[in-house]
Amino acid sequence: MTNATELLNHRYGNGNLNRDIPWSDTLETLLSHRSIRAYLPDVLPPGTLEVLIAAAQSASTSSNLQTWSVVAVEDANRKEELSKLTNNQAHIRQSPLFLVWLADLARLTHIAESRGLPHEGLNYLEMFLMAAIDAALAAQNAVIAAESLGLGTVYIGALRNKPEEVAEILNLPPHVIGIFGLCVGYADPVVKVAIKPRLPQSVVLHRETYNLTEQEQGISEYNQVMTNFYNSQHINVPGDWSEHSSKRVASAESLSGRHRLKEILNNLGFQLR
């Protein structure tokens, strides 16, 4: 089993976290997570998809409404089409399995209508938020399951750049939207991928009440940690983490088309009152 101190050093980029913590194989899997963007062509063992979905369905779901679905894409042509919608991300084409996670209110709409029951509540923002949260919880369970089986994964948020086109490719009915994708497969061992450091706990962990100003030192330290990380990986990222992150939210154009999300949701049948 990998040493906990080693993994914590990788996860935070320094040795400042108290190492006197509980430990388990599950924690080792979680802290070892890396985003994999290069895959071998090897097919997955029989039953892999089904066990990943079983793990996903074991996640919590609000009121047991289960307002998510997933489309498993293995066809090369369809993966190619989806890749084109995400600025040609090659790992979508490479991965033997591409999962498109859906916020799905069509099922409850259909159930209510088939019984002649009202379903006005589905037209409110709360229900879309619930569906998005349900899908995220389910997908993360699938990620943990996949990585425990020795598989690599990476989320693809760029599906939200063109969700109407995604809906057409996947034949999604009204009240359903693809909110992110997930590549699943065996990592190409030739492409070395390091564990990317996260913000220190002093920034994200608040005890009893939230405090914004006390985060400044931790953010400053993280800027240097990420600069060191990118240099070590020979990745050219202009400026530090704070500058890079600020550029991602600087304007509507910075959102890569996602500033239209409310309009798109309305077009796809979500009322969002």
Side-chain angles (χ1 to χ4, degrees):
M1 187 167 68
T2 304
N3 184 282
T5 300
E6 179 183 351
L7 281 176
L8 288 166
N9 271 325
H10 287 309
R11 183 52 69 201
Y12 292 107
N14 57 45
N16 296 333
L17 192 69
N18 179 12
R19 269 43 177 203
D20 186 19
I21 59 173
W23 196 246
S24 68
D25 290 344
T26 301
L27 286 167
E28 180 180 352
T29 298
L30 288 166
L31 270 71
S32 298
H33 170 73
R34 301 167 299 147
S35 291
I36 301 300
R37 293 182 174 87
Y39 292 89
L40 298 174
D42 304 25
V43 298
L44 304 183
T48 300
L49 171 60
E50 290 78 7
V51 78
L52 295 185
I53 301 307
Q57 289 188 281
S58 298
S60 298
T61 171
S62 184
S63 301
N64 199 33
L65 293 180
Q66 303 176 69
T67 51
W68 65 273
S69 292
V70 62
V71 176
V73 180
E74 298 172 293
D75 178 76
N77 291 331
R78 187 165 284 108
K79 285 190 290 183
E80 175 71 26
E81 289 184 83
L82 293 169
S83 174
K84 289 178 180 178
L85 298 180
T86 65
N87 297 317
N88 292 308
Q89 295 188 49
H91 32 284
I92 295 176
R93 300 189 298 271
Q94 289 178 352
S95 61
L97 175 63
F98 186 60
L99 299 175
V100 180
W101 298 87
L102 311 172
D104 182 357
L105 299 183
R107 183 164 46 247
L108 287 178
T109 299
H110 175 73
I111 290 171
E113 290 180 349
S114 67
R115 297 199 172 193
L117 298 173
H119 50 81
E120 181 185 356
L122 292 174
N123 295 330
Y124 286 84
L125 177 60
E126 158 62 14
M127 291 305 302
F128 173 75
L129 182 61
M130 177 189 296
I133 292 171
D134 267 13
L137 293 173
Q140 188 60 17
N141 257 30
V143 164
I144 297 165
E147 293 181 353
S148 76
L149 296 172
L151 298 168
T153 65
V154 64
Y155 283 111
I156 307 295
L159 286 186
R160 294 194 303 282
N161 292 357
K162 297 183 177 179
E164 291 161 308
E165 290 87 341
V166 171
E168 184 176 355
I169 290 171
L170 300 181
N171 193 32
L172 303 183
H175 312 292
V176 179
I177 183 173
I179 52 177
F180 52 81
L182 181 70
C183 297
V184 182
Y186 292 103
D188 185 343
V190 173
V191 181
K192 303 299 182 183
V193 181
I195 294 173
K196 184 179 291 184
R198 297 296 197 235
L199 285 162
Q201 292 193 6
S202 62
V203 175
V204 302
L205 173 61
H206 303 265
R207 298 185 184 273
E208 309 301 338
T209 59
Y210 186 97
N211 191 303
L212 185 60
T213 58
E214 289 186 0
Q215 300 177 32
E216 292 178 1
Q217 180 179 346
I219 292 172
S220 177
E221 293 171 356
Y222 185 65
N223 284 331
Q224 188 58 55
V225 165
M226 286 305 297
T227 297
N228 295 341
F229 173 79
Y230 285 130
N231 288 338
S232 71
Q233 299 299 302
H234 307 290
I235 300 173
N236 182 24
V237 178
D240 59 19
W241 177 81
S242 290
E243 180 180 342
H244 174 67
S245 299
S246 296
K247 288 179 179 177
R248 293 294 296 269
V249 298
S251 65
E253 289 71 25
S254 304
L255 301 180
S256 303
R258 301 179 209 182
H259 64 287
R260 293 183 55 242
L261 187 55
K262 183 177 180 181
E263 172 192 345
I264 290 168
L265 285 167
N266 287 334
N267 293 341
L268 294 177
F270 294 88
Q271 299 302 311
L272 302 186
R273 298 177 189 169

